[in-house]
Amino acid sequence: MAKNRLMTRRRTVMLGLGLLAGMGFSTVTGGLKQLKSQMLALDVQQRVKQRTFAVAGNAPLRDRATAKKLLYGAAGEYRTLSSDKEFAACFARECAILVPEGELKWKALRPGPDQFDFTKGDWLAEFAQTHNMLFRGHTLVWHEALPKWFADTVNKENAEQMLLKHIKTVAGHYAGKIHSWDVVNEAVFLEDGLPDGLRNSPWLQLLGPNYINMAFRAAAAADPQALLAYNDFGLDYQDQEPKRVAVLKLLERLKSQGAPVQALGIQAHLWGDNSRNFNPKMLKAFLRNVADLGLKVLITELDVSDKNLPSDVSARDRIVAAVYEDYLSAVLEESAVIAVLTWGLSDRYTWFDWADSRKRADGLPVRPLPLDRGLKRKLAWNAIARTLSQTSNR
Ligand code: XIL
C-alpha cells in the first residue's frame, strides 16, 4: 500500500520533469533542482521505513549519556528558558550540559568598546548550576555576531589588545564554571581561497593567522580549567574531505606551536534530504586523526534540516531520525567523542525558523530537533536515545 503510494508519487515527479522540459531554461533548472531533491527524499523514505526506532524505558537523554560517561545537552537561550517554564523544566530533565545560543557572543556581551554586559550569560550560568547542568562557552572569537561599533573601533593598532582583553575578561568572568570553551569558531573557509584555507575574517585581516594561537593562549591563561576547543562546520559529508584536511592541518599547526587547543567541536548541522553523501568510514578516520593529536571531540550543534523532505509529518520525522541515528552511531564509535549537544532541544525554538537556507518551500514549520513544538519526544529523540544506549562506555 505504502509502496504503491510511493510509486504514484514517483510517477508524479517524473510527470513534473516532463512538463518542465517544455518550459524556459532558468525555470527548468530551478524546478529540476527541487524535483531532484524530492526524488532523493523519496528514496530515503523508502530506505528508512523498515526502522523501528524502538527505545527501552523512559530515561531522559542526559541519564542515558551519563550512564556511558558521555554528555548530552543542548543550546538554550535566556529569552526562552527564562519565560517558558514548561520548556525550561524539559530542558533541565533532558540535558546535562547547556550552551548559550547567542548570549556569550561579542554582540551580546559588548554594548560598547569598553563595556561588558554579563546579565543574560550569568542568568544562564545560574540556570545550569541550579539544575545540575554543566555550562559551555560559545564563542570567544568569531567573524560573525560582532557589535556594530566593531568595524569603526577596532584597527590593526588596537586589535591584539581588544582581542586579549575580551578573552581575559569573558573567560575570566566565567572561570571555573565552564566545561569547555569554543575559543575560536569557523576560522577555516576554503571558499575564501586564502593560504591554509583560513577564512578571510576581520580577525585574520587585523592580526594575521597567528590570532588563533593567540586566542587559545589567552583563554588558557584566563580559565585553566576549561577544555579549550576549536569549533567548525562542514566536516560531516563525503565531499567535505578538503575541509577536514584543512581543519586537521590547522589543529596540527596549533599543537606544534604549543597552543593549548584540547578539543575539536564539530557543529554537525546536517541535512535530511540525502543531497550529500554521508560516508561514516571517512568521518571516523578523521575523528581518529583528531584523537591521535591528543584531542577530544564534541558534537556541538547537531540538528537535521527537513528542508526538501515530504510535507507528511511522520514521513519527515522518520527520515530526520534516521539521519540522527546514522550520524551518531558512527561518531560515537570514536572514544574521543565525549559530548553531544543539539542546537536547541525542541522545534518550538530553532534557528531554522529564521535561517532562509533551512526554510521549507511548502511553508510548513520545520522539525529538526529531538522534541516537537508541544515538547513531545519525536523519533529523533528515540534515535539519539538508541545510539547513546548502544554506545560503549567512555
Ligand atoms: C546561530 C543562532 O542559532 C541564531 O539564533 C543566530 O541568529 C545566529 O547564530 N554556527 C554557530 C552558531 O556557531 O553560533 C550559530 O548560531 C549557528 C551556526
Side-chain angles (χ1 to χ4, degrees):
M1 181 63 191
K3 185 158 187 193
N4 279 346
R5 232 185 6 246
L6 211 64
M7 292 308 288
T8 319
R9 281 159 86 174
R10 202 181 275 276
R11 234 170 273 139
T12 315
V13 171
M14 294 311 285
L15 197 73
L17 279 170
L19 279 175
L20 278 170
M23 296 161 76
F25 183 71
S26 64
T27 332
V28 172
T29 47
L32 277 176
K33 247 193 192 157
Q34 212 182 332
L35 282 169
K36 189 177 162 219
S37 54
Q38 279 172 6
M39 285 185 75
L40 284 168
L42 289 177
D43 281 343
V44 197
Q45 209 173 326
Q46 206 156 26
R47 274 199 280 118
V48 303
K49 74 172 183 236
Q50 312 296 350
R51 302 207 196 174
T52 62
F53 299 107
V55 170
N58 266 324
L61 297 179
R62 71 177 284 165
D63 299 352
R64 291 174 196 265
T66 309
K68 301 295 169 71
K69 302 201 170 63
L70 266 161
L71 288 168
Y72 169 76
E77 293 170 289
Y78 166 79
R79 179 180 62 87
T80 59
L81 288 169
S82 67
S83 64
D84 185 340
K85 295 284 166 276
E86 194 196 6
F87 173 65
C90 225
F91 201 102
R93 193 158 51 242
E94 296 285 356
C95 296
I97 182 163
L98 160 67
V99 59
E101 190 169 332
E103 289 79 353
L104 300 188
K105 293 171 183 170
W106 276 67
K107 199 157 93 183
L109 284 176
R110 305 296 306 274
D114 298 313
Q115 292 166 292
F116 290 83
D117 180 358
F118 291 109
T119 322
K120 290 177 181 168
D122 287 357
W123 189 92
L124 287 168
E126 204 176 311
F127 177 80
Q129 202 177 19
T130 308
H131 295 96
N132 201 18
M133 285 184 267
L134 296 174
F135 193 52
R136 292 201 77 226
H138 175 82
T139 172
L140 294 167
V141 188
W142 193 25
H143 63 285
E144 276 186 40
L146 292 168
K148 283 214 175 72
W149 53 261
F150 188 92
D152 302 330
T153 315
V154 187
N155 53 46
K156 286 192 174 168
E157 280 64 56
N158 65 13
E160 178 170 346
Q161 183 249 332
M162 290 294 291
L163 178 75
L164 296 180
K165 181 179 165 198
H166 180 83
I167 295 176
K168 187 176 179 193
T169 312
V170 177
H173 181 84
Y174 291 108
K177 295 183 180 166
I178 295 271
H179 167 268
S180 48
W181 261 114
D182 290 333
V183 178
V184 178
N185 196 30
E186 304 180 354
V188 172
F189 193 61
L190 302 186
E191 289 82 343
D192 282 345
L194 294 183
D196 298 326
L198 290 183
R199 182 188 287 274
N200 190 16
S201 91
W203 293 113
L204 186 87
Q205 291 165 14
L206 291 161
L207 294 168
N210 196 45
Y211 81 89
I212 305 174
N213 180 0
M214 208 184 264
F216 275 97
R217 287 175 191 273
D223 185 353
Q225 286 176 51
L227 185 77
L228 304 183
Y230 171 72
N231 194 51
D232 214 331
F233 68 91
L235 301 167
D236 317 291
Y237 292 104
Q238 181 167 294
D239 64 350
Q240 291 171 327
E241 187 63 11
K243 176 126 181 193
R244 283 190 288 272
V245 170
V247 165
L248 194 64
K249 285 193 177 148
L250 168 65
L251 295 171
E252 279 165 3
R253 266 197 320 279
L254 289 170
K255 292 289 284 183
S256 72
Q257 291 163 347
V261 57
Q262 295 153 341
L264 172 67
I266 295 183
Q267 292 186 10
H269 295 293
L270 305 181
W271 296 87
D273 68 2
N274 208 24
S275 56
R276 286 141 219 239
N277 288 329
F278 178 55
N279 184 329
K281 242 189 177 166
M282 281 170 102
L283 182 57
K284 282 189 279 183
F286 171 66
L287 297 179
R288 190 86 295 267
N289 289 334
V290 174
D292 285 342
L293 290 175
L295 302 177
K296 299 289 182 202
V297 177
L298 298 91
I299 307 302
T300 49
E301 305 184 14
L302 179 59
D303 47 18
V304 179
S305 170
D306 62 355
K307 185 176 178 165
N308 299 324
L309 296 189
S311 304
D312 179 73
V313 164
S314 65
R316 225 198 298 170
D317 282 0
R318 185 162 276 281
I319 297 169
V320 165
V323 174
Y324 270 102
E325 188 164 49
D326 290 347
Y327 189 82
L328 286 179
S329 56
V331 298
L332 289 175
E333 274 182 39
E334 171 52 60
S335 59
V337 176
I338 56 165
V340 174
L341 289 98
T342 47
W343 203 240
L345 177 66
S346 150
D347 298 336
R348 191 180 282 191
Y349 307 114
T350 161
W351 71 304
F352 284 179
D353 272 342
W354 324 114
D356 284 338
S357 60
R358 306 305 206 284
K359 279 186 187 152
R360 295 177 52 83
D362 61 13
L364 289 174
V366 295
R367 303 176 63 85
L369 290 167
L371 307 182
D372 71 9
R373 274 163 211 261
L375 304 177
K376 252 187 70 207
R377 292 167 172 177
K378 293 159 54 190
L379 288 186
W381 182 95
N382 289 41
I384 301 173
R386 281 165 64 83
T387 55
L388 290 172
S389 301
Q390 280 158 16
T391 194
S392 50
N393 246 319
R394 296 296 108 164

